[in-house]
Amino acid sequence: MNNNFNPQVLNIKTTEQAAVEMKKIECTSAGIAIMKDKAVFKVIKLTDINTKAANILKQTFLSKGGEVAISRHCADLSRDTSDVIIMATLHQYRQAIPVLKMQPWKLKNVAAVLEEILTEKG
């Protein structure tokens, strides 16, 4: 029995690339529309985020299946700001952004920045 399965690592950077790869394996158009944002993973670093906002950012992305790396100083609020690294699929960003727009500590601005980045590079 052959269990090689011809594994390939796909480096998908855009939704267009995702759609092409899914079309190659004969996914339906409806399936591609649903899944293409889930195939693109973006890592975005932001600097000087209020530590309270960084904690909310982390909680928001965790609830959507993403992740946010924050400074250890966010736990005890021993510093005013933290740099953050957001790691999520386009789908997770699109789920998190509306939630961030309702939050304090300039998270509306963070949401706008994320929307702009995703529009430019998504």
Side-chain angles (χ1 to χ4, degrees):
M1 177 169 42
N2 182 359
N3 288 327
N4 187 8
F5 306 116
N6 194 26
Q8 300 172 39
V9 176
L10 301 178
N11 189 12
I12 296 176
K13 300 250 183 222
T14 68
T15 55
E16 292 78 20
Q17 286 176 310
V20 166
E21 291 298 331
M22 288 183 226
K23 192 169 186 123
K24 286 179 186 178
I25 64 165
E26 300 181 13
C27 284
T28 65
S29 296
I32 292 169
I34 291 167
M35 293 182 284
K36 66 183 180 179
D37 283 354
K38 297 175 183 179
V40 181
F41 191 79
K42 296 280 184 199
V43 179
I44 299 172
K45 180 180 179 181
L46 303 173
T47 59
D48 295 321
I49 303 296
N50 175 291
T51 52
K52 294 174 188 174
N55 286 325
I56 291 174
L57 197 61
K58 183 172 184 78
Q59 292 171 8
T60 301
F61 274 90
L62 283 174
S63 75
K64 308 305 178 201
E67 180 63 273
V68 179
I70 60 176
S71 166
R72 62 189 169 113
H73 301 287
C74 292
D76 62 6
L77 304 175
S78 60
R79 294 198 183 152
D80 292 336
T81 64
S82 173
D83 293 351
V84 302
I85 300 173
I86 306 169
M87 301 161 269
T89 65
L90 294 181
H91 179 72
Q92 291 161 338
Y93 279 103
R94 294 194 202 318
Q95 288 182 311
I97 286 170
V99 175
L100 297 175
K101 287 180 178 180
M102 298 183 293
Q103 301 300 325
W105 301 299
K106 297 187 180 179
L107 283 167
K108 290 180 186 102
N109 301 16
V110 169
V113 167
L114 294 176
E115 278 183 322
E116 185 177 328
I117 291 170
L118 296 182
T119 301
E120 292 172 2
K121 301 174 184 170

